[in-house]
Structure formats: structure tokens, C-alpha cells
Amino acid sequence: MNIAVSSRLLILILLFNLTPAQAEKPTEDHIRKIQTAAIKHKKSPVAHWGFDPNDYTQWSSHSLRLIPVYTYGTKNGVPGYNLKSYKGKNSPYRDQKKLEAIYGFLPENTLNPKAKYLDQTNLYDIQEAALKAGKKNIILFVFDGMDWQTTRAAALYYNAADKYNSGRGTGFHFQDYTADGTSQFGYMVTAPHNDGSNVDVNGQRVLNAGGKMRGGYNAKKGGSNPWTAGNDKKYLIGSPGNKYGEHAYPDSANTATSMTAGIKSYNNAINVDPNGAPVATIAHEAQEKGYSVGVVTSVPITHATPAATYAHNVSRNDYQDLARDLLGQTSISHPEQALPGMDVVLGGGFGTMEKPTGSKSHGKNFVPGWKYISEETINKADVKQGGKYTVALRTPQVKGKDGLKQATDAAIKNKTRLLGVYGVEKYAAHLPYQTANGDYQPAPGLKNSSEVYSESDIAENPTLADMTESALSVLSQNKQGFWLLVEAGDVDWANHDNNLDNAIGAVKSGDDAFKVITDWVEKNSNWDETLVILTADHGHYLNIDQPEALIPQKKAAK
């Protein structure tokens, strides 16, 4: 180990109060080595993104793959609350009327009498059924962009063995945890209503309702389950911009809207229907019943998934207005009467500045400065300025976990809401990638470059697990109950970067946050009054060609 690395490691040990034994890492970073070689040679015998095995980075966007769904607290539940109500013989994809109700039309080659999968909008149905049944705590955990293949790649590494090639899988807490025998497993279609809808942000209007390419799912072409490929490798990445498929692949905005508002809409829509009309979310419904509501994410708090918990906008890119909605301030979509605002908002977004040329996506009310949430919005929210939120920001020489804990305690003591904004501003204000071996030293990605974090970048930011713990602490003060979304958003960002090292590490950091939730339930609640749904909003297109190569080699005995 060289002097620079030794010094960095010592600093991290001191900052995080770890013993040298806890902080020690293997001498060879197995996944980093694979990723670095793949980017250098532009191909890898181990894996690839896209349909061309000779091009490691052939595809860097989403896909239409079926996505796994894990539920906890649903088995033997009331009808509508049990996952079986929507899969197998109850799949809406076996029923023409149900399909027409979901899409607003009958998608071509989508009706399937053998379908076993549910639809993404059914996750809203489960949450709504839980709310109606009086369940006290409802939690939606989203690994953004984590399809079955990404999970398996991570499991191969952390299991140090090839333990499964189908089904639920094993190795991570979210795979193995049974929730006292109440956990269920299924998989779902994530197709949008359409892609290619153009909008006017200032007028909050959809200019060409119906877009350019409709959604749907052809199981013959796409696969009947997440681990079995279909007969058309190009089908899964169809869009108006290519001729690959008959159905459009989804984005994070419409998929999050499907899960929180129960409707299919166009790609880029935040809780508006295909015509641009705002739709209430499960968080709004819970709030009206007296529940507290919150959101936690490892990426900017106004990115598509966290924004879709509560905000309304015809465009996912109008970040500053999305922040205003989340925090109960007037916005482009609520200019006269603001939404009540969420009780907890924790995530990234700190410091990244908007380029003047990029402010068009924000509309005419753009405030120069921070891109994802304006400093003006933060100041208005701050209880010290007459707002409703105890505010925690990334602060020089203050450990992120400690600063957030102090703000959390203050919010509880003073009965305020909680807002936390963190991240690394030069890397789009997301939390640092912990990477596969946990050393926060990412391998190069799509552009042959990698994030380089300072010790302060790591120390001054809390982890997703830390933020989840704070959210639970504040929200659970409400004896009526709460609704919470937690997003491991960096899985998606890593896949966009065709970065196996970051993707595998992001799955692990997300799993750590999920364990915080189950530990909290076991200590403070039970699986009769709590529902947790864990899933992804959509997939990417990672293909594992040599599973055994992802398994770290054991050191030879001396």
C-alpha cells in the first residue's frame, strides 16, 4: 500500500471511528479490475450492456425488462393487499378490460393468457389497500435501475459463489429476509403509456398527447420472466429514436408515477396523466388521513423518483419547482395554493450550479444558483427563517452523520419537519459511490473517467442508511402512522455509466439502508401493521456472460 493510500485510509479510520481491522480492504479490488479492463478494451468476456456482446458500453439507458418485486407484511393479507391479487392467474395482462383500464387502450401484442407478472401500477393498488385497511406504516423502497441481472451481479460478488440462476435469489438482506413469513416475490411490467410527448413547462401543458410511441409488453420478445430472455434482443430498448421495438422503454419519472399515483403516463411526467392533468399520490392520500410523509434518496431530492412521491409537473427537469412542491411552497404547478409539503425530505442536491443555458428546462421562474433546489427555497423552508423545517446541509469539517443526527434530534424536540441536502457538487450532487469493495474509489466508466472523492466528500455526507434512520425517527413521532419512500438512486446512475464497480457497491449500500428499516420494524412495530415494498422502477441492459468471473478468488493458503 503506498503512502498516499495509507494516509487516506488512516483519515477515514479517524473520521468514521473505525478500527484498522474494520477498515482494511483486500489488496486486490476484483470488480474494479474487471471494470477498468472493460473500459480500456471496450469489451469484456465477463459482461456487457446492450445486445452486442462485443461492445461493453453499447447501451447506456433503460430497458423494458420485467422487474422483481419483494413485499414484506403482505402474505395472508386482505384481498388487494396480498401480492397474489395481481400475479399468476390474477395478472392484469391476462384480462383485456384490465389492460385497457391501465393503459387507456389495448396495447398491441400485450394480452397474454399465460402471463404471471403484475403491472407496476399494482404497487400503488397494494399501498392504497394497505391505507384503507388501516396499516400504520407504509414504506416503498426503490432501487432505481436495479433489474434482476444487476442484483445477480452484485450477489455473485458478495456471495463469493454462484448460488442461483432464477427466482428471488439469495445473499442480500432484502432477498433472504422473510418478515416473519409474510414476504412475497413477483415481477412486473414497467412500460410507460407513451414516449415522445412534448411539453410546455411554463404553461404546464402537454403539446402532443399520446406522444410518438406507445407502451406495452410483448412477452415473446421481451421474456416471460426477468431471468429468461425473449426472442428479440433489440425489443427491450425500443424508442421513437430507433427501430428496435414495438413498445417504448420507460424512464424514472413515469415509472415512479405509476407506483405512487397508480397511473401510466408519458416518459418525463411527474404525477400528471398523459394529457398533463395532476393526479394525487399515495403520499397525498396518506397525509389527508393524518399520516406523516417523507422521502429519502442518495441522489438529488428533486430527481424523478423522489420528486414523484409528491410533486406535480409536466417535466421531470423542472427541478426547482419540484423542490417547491416537496417543501410546500408555491410553484409553477401550484401558483396560488401550495401543497402542504412533506414532513421529511432527505437526499442530494447540494451545491451543483445550473448552467445559464440549461435554465430553460426550469421555466421562467428559474432562480440562478443551485440547480436541484434553490437556496431561496431552502431559506424559506428553514425554521430559523420562519419556515417549517429544521435544515441540515453538508457542512465543512462536520461529519455528515453527526450533523444529520443533530438536526434530527432538534426536529423531534421542537416538533418541526426535517430537510437535509447533501452530496458532492461536482458530481451532480449525489452521495459518494461506495464501490464494490467499499473503498469509495470508483473505477472508470463510460467516458473513461471516474469520480475522485476527497476525504471531506466522504466524511461530510451521511450514507443512505443514516438518512433512512433519521427519517424513521422523525416520521414515527406521529402515532397515526407514516408513508415513506427510500430510493437507492445511485444504482441507476452507475448503470447509465456502464460501471459495474459502482453498480455493485450501490446495491450493497441500498441493502444496508433496507436493513435499517427491518431492524426498526422489529424493534418498534410488527408485520401486521407495517407494509414494505422493495423493487426497482425500471431496468437497464446489463448481460452477464461469465458469472464465475465476478466471484472473487480466494487467497491461497500459506
Side-chain angles (χ1 to χ4, degrees), residues 196-440:
S197 285
N198 299 317
V199 302
D200 168 17
V201 174
N202 292 318
Q204 287 293 295
R205 295 182 300 126
V206 175
L207 303 178
N208 59 330
K212 299 176 182 178
M213 188 175 190
R214 285 180 163 185
Y217 188 73
N218 186 329
K220 290 182 180 179
K221 291 184 177 182
S224 59
N225 57 58
W227 49 89
T228 302
N231 62 22
D232 185 347
K233 293 180 180 180
K234 297 181 180 180
Y235 166 76
L236 292 171
I237 53 176
S239 78
N242 62 44
K243 298 178 181 179
Y244 291 155
E246 62 195 273
H247 299 125
Y249 72 81
D251 85 324
S252 294
N254 108 83
T255 52
T257 294
S258 291
M259 294 185 285
T260 60
I263 64 163
K264 286 193 181 293
S265 195
Y266 58 91
N267 287 339
N268 295 324
I270 299 290
N271 296 323
V272 296
D273 70 16
N275 297 309
V279 179
T281 72
I282 189 70
H284 297 137
E285 295 172 31
Q287 192 173 52
E288 288 180 0
K289 286 180 174 287
Y291 288 56
S292 292
V293 295
V295 60
V296 173
T297 180
S298 59
V299 300
I301 55 176
T302 49
H303 251 254
T305 305
T309 59
Y310 198 79
H312 294 115
N313 207 291
V314 296
S315 172
R316 61 177 288 175
N317 298 319
D318 188 10
Y319 299 116
Q320 292 186 347
D321 272 310
L322 296 172
R324 295 176 185 116
D325 277 356
L326 294 178
L327 299 177
Q329 300 178 17
T330 54
S331 67
I332 195 74
S333 55
H334 297 280
E336 303 297 331
Q337 182 64 49
L339 292 169
M342 305 191 81
D343 298 282
V344 172
V345 179
L346 298 173
F350 180 88
T352 299
M353 305 295 284
E354 176 66 283
K355 298 177 182 178
T357 55
S359 61
K360 259 187 193 179
S361 63
H362 293 274
K364 61 186 179 183
N365 63 347
F366 170 70
V367 178
W370 287 14
K371 176 177 182 176
Y372 297 109
I373 176 172
S374 74
E375 293 168 275
E376 176 186 80
T377 295
I378 294 173
N379 290 334
K380 284 183 179 179
D382 196 332
V383 68
K384 295 177 181 178
Q385 306 295 327
K388 298 180 179 180
Y389 294 81
T390 298
V391 176
L393 300 177
R394 178 179 172 177
T395 304
Q397 299 181 356
V398 175
K399 285 171 61 175
K401 182 174 183 178
D402 292 347
L404 179 57
K405 178 65 164 57
Q406 184 178 3
T408 301
D409 292 344
I412 293 171
K413 179 182 178 180
N414 299 320
K415 295 181 171 53
T416 72
R417 295 173 172 182
L418 178 63
L419 168 64
V421 186
Y422 293 91
V424 182
E425 60 183 278
K426 64 181 177 180
Y427 298 127
H430 64 79
L431 299 186
Y433 291 116
Q434 75 168 33
T435 66
N437 76 339
D439 69 359
Y440 291 94

Side-chain angles (χ1 to χ4, degrees), residues 449-505:
S449 62
S450 59
E451 296 86 354
V452 179
Y453 303 125
S454 66
E455 284 79 12
S456 58
D457 286 335
I458 300 168
E460 292 168 6
N461 282 296
T463 64
L464 185 66
D466 294 334
M467 292 192 296
T468 301
E469 184 175 359
S470 285
L472 291 169
S473 296
V474 174
L475 294 173
S476 61
Q477 299 302 306
N478 185 347
K479 302 307 177 184
Q480 175 70 27
F482 65 83
W483 180 91
L484 170 66
L485 180 138
V486 178
E487 183 204 24
D490 43 359
V491 181
D492 181 62
W493 290 36
N495 272 292
H496 277 299
D497 196 37
N498 296 147
N499 197 314
L500 202 58
D501 192 23
N502 288 346
I504 288 176

Side-chain angles (χ1 to χ4, degrees), residues 70-78 81 130 134-141 168 173-174 177-184 472 482 514-534:
Y70 306 79
T71 63
Y72 311 85
T74 56
K75 197 170 183 180
N76 301 320
V78 297
Y81 182 65
K135 300 299 179 180
K136 188 175 180 181
N137 312 306
I138 302 171
I139 302 172
L140 178 60
F141 197 111
R168 181 179 181 124
H173 183 61
F174 70 83
Y177 187 73
T178 65
D180 294 333
T182 68
S183 181
Q184 296 177 293
L472 291 169
F482 65 83
F514 174 69
K515 190 173 188 302
V516 169
I517 292 172
T518 60
D519 286 350
W520 182 89
V521 173
E522 290 178 359
K523 182 179 179 181
N524 301 283
S525 182
N526 57 64
W527 293 108
D528 287 328
E529 67 178 20
T530 297
L531 162 72
V532 179
I533 300 172
L534 185 148

